Amino acid sequence: MSVVEQYARVRIVTDAEPRLEDRGTVPVVLRYDPEDDPLCVRFGLPGAVPREWAVRRDLLEHGLRAPVTSGGIRVWPCGRVQTVVEFHTPRSVSVVEFETRTLTRFLRRTYVSAAEPVPH
């Protein structure tokens, strides 16, 4: 089992970091470490104070096809080419738009890394 790390460009729409909204796409780091937490992937978000969110892989997988919510995280498809991930804290909401194919490719790599069958 090995760590899977992938960089992606996303569009951030948020009330927490208004400066990022105007920058178009920004880089984020997608990371999966089966030794650290085999059930979750992590998103490293930029900003004045960089943030990292842990998202269950199954939540992300289901959110590619239909809206799902768990705790402070919502995931839903946005048309055919984008997936939206929404992160809630008591003080803010961050909404991140990913290309669906980027998340799909990353998730497939995490299942291969963990030697698990890839969900359909």
Side-chain angles (χ1 to χ4, degrees):
M1 293 192 289
S2 61
V3 173
V4 176
E5 192 168 273
Q6 179 174 321
Y7 293 86
R9 301 226 25 112
V10 302
R11 186 168 173 268
I12 296 180
V13 181
T14 178
D15 59 357
E17 292 284 350
R19 291 176 296 159
L20 292 177
E21 286 186 60
D22 300 329
R23 290 181 49 197
T25 61
V26 296
V28 297
V29 177
L30 307 172
R31 183 176 171 81
Y32 173 68
D33 184 347
E35 298 292 326
D36 179 42
D37 188 347
L39 300 178
C40 290
V41 296
R42 298 190 177 281
F43 296 154
L45 301 177
V49 177
R51 294 156 290 167
E52 184 176 86
W53 290 86
V55 179
R56 286 192 349 255
R57 285 192 302 164
D58 64 335
L59 181 76
L60 197 53
E61 184 77 33
H62 294 295
L64 294 173
R65 294 182 298 279
V68 292
T69 301
S70 179
I73 300 172
R74 295 181 63 215
V75 183
W76 70 92
C78 182
R80 297 184 71 145
V81 298
Q82 291 184 319
T83 299
V84 177
V85 182
E86 184 175 291
F87 304 101
H88 289 258
T89 70
R91 295 184 197 169
S92 68
V93 175
S94 295
V95 180
V96 182
E97 295 177 354
F98 286 89
E99 284 189 13
T100 300
R101 70 178 179 199
T102 300
L103 287 179
T104 301
R105 185 174 30 239
F106 173 71
L107 284 170
R108 283 190 180 135
R109 290 179 59 212
T110 70
Y111 288 108
V112 170
S113 168
E116 299 174 29
V118 177
H120 297 276

